């Protein structure tokens, strides 16, 4: 899998959302290998989009389509300044429920000292997350070889997420989280999407 992360500050939230939704109908429908997109805007006007493709080749082929170029030319106008792009070839995706029904999405971003170890921890499916945190519908983690990463967590609601944060975790989960924290370089950033933009090819 492959994920492109696009982010920046929003100049026109309503216009951007309408244009993104048009992409799913007008362009996404013909984008071979496009799987889904997760985006939103924070209360202070920041946006992060995680666009998932089956492969890096599929993403590149979509970028080369003339209609994609025309669409992006308009999309740029909805940003305040230049957006940034990050191409992630290291991807872990876990789904426990209907991601499209998520009422709240939190995106985290950061840098780690050992991306391979972090990816190994993220792919560990020995933890029964649906039982421990029924408020979590799934996660999408995307990283780069130099240790940069982004992660979207899909929750049933913000209220459920905040309540779940207070839950006591088993020792093995606490140990895993502690190791992840020990590999972090600096503090992660958080982006809360209370009205997430969720689109899927299926």
């Amino acid at each position: 899998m492959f994920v492109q992360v696009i982010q920046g500050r929003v100049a026109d939230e309503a216009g951007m959302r309408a244009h993104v939704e048009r992409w799913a109908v007008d362009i996404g429908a013909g984008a071979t290998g496009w799987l889904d997109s997760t985006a939103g805007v924070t209360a202070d006007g920041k946006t992060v989009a995680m666009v998932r493709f089956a492969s890096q080749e599929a993403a590149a082929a979509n970028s080369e389509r003339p209609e994609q170029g025309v669409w992006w030319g308009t999309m740029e106008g909805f940003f305040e300044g230049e957006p940034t792009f990050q191409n992630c070839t290291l991807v872990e995706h876990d789904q426990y429920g209907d991601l499209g029904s998520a009422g709240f999405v939190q995106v985290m971003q950061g840098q780690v000292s050992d991306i391979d170890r972090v990816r190994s921890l993220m792919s560990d499916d020995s933890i029964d997350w649906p039982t421990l945190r029924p408020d979590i519908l799934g996660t999408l983690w995307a990283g780069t070889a130099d240790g940069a990463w982004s992660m979207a967590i899909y929750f049933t609601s913000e209220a459920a997420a905040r309540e779940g944060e207070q839950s006591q975790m088993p020792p093995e989960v606490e140990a895993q989280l502690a190791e992840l924290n020990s590999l972090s370089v600096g503090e992660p950033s958080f982006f809360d999407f209370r009205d997430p933009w969720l689109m899927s090819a299926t």
Side-chain angles (χ1 to χ4, degrees), residues 112-123:
V112 293
S113 58
D114 187 342
I115 196 70
D116 291 331
R117 178 55 182 160
V118 168
R119 188 181 186 190
S120 176
L121 290 168
M122 294 303 303
S123 64

Side-chain angles (χ1 to χ4, degrees), residues 22-198:
R22 279 195 294 272
W23 184 91
V25 176
D26 299 338
I27 299 175
T32 300
W34 171 62
L35 301 175
D36 50 50
S37 301
T38 298
V41 177
T42 64
D44 60 351
K46 297 173 184 175
T47 185
V48 180
M50 298 181 69
V51 187
R52 188 167 65 106
F53 285 86
S55 67
Q56 188 170 7
E57 292 75 19
N62 177 67
S63 295
E64 293 169 1
R65 298 165 69 202
E67 56 267 45
Q68 174 69 22
V70 172
W71 179 88
W72 179 254
T74 301
M75 181 66 172
E76 287 181 306
F78 297 115
F79 285 96
E80 184 179 297
E82 292 293 324
T84 62
F85 299 83
Q86 188 175 77
N87 294 322
C88 302
T89 56
L90 309 176
V91 179
E92 299 295 336
H93 183 248
D94 290 302
Q95 184 169 343
Y96 314 122
D98 177 15
L99 301 187
S101 69
F104 176 67
V105 171
Q106 184 175 75
V107 172
M108 304 170 61
Q109 290 185 325
Q111 184 79 28
V112 293
S113 58
D114 187 342
I115 196 70
D116 291 331
R117 178 55 182 160
V118 168
R119 188 181 186 190
S120 176
L121 290 168
M122 294 303 303
S123 64
D124 179 9
D125 56 6
S126 64
I127 298 173
D128 185 8
W129 285 109
T131 298
L132 292 174
R133 291 289 302 272
D135 55 306
I136 298 178
L137 298 170
T139 60
L140 173 60
W141 180 91
T144 64
D146 63 359
W149 61 273
S150 298
M151 181 179 181
I153 308 175
Y154 304 81
F155 297 94
T156 54
S157 69
E158 183 175 10
R162 301 309 180 193
E163 182 179 350
E165 288 173 356
Q166 307 305 315
S167 303
Q168 182 67 42
M169 291 291 104
E172 61 272 21
V173 177
E174 294 286 359
Q176 185 186 85
L177 295 175
E179 183 175 0
L180 285 169
N181 288 334
S182 73
L183 296 171
S184 181
V185 178
E187 294 296 321
S189 300
F190 295 84
F191 303 85
D192 290 346
F193 299 146
R194 295 181 171 86
D195 184 18
W197 309 349
L198 305 172

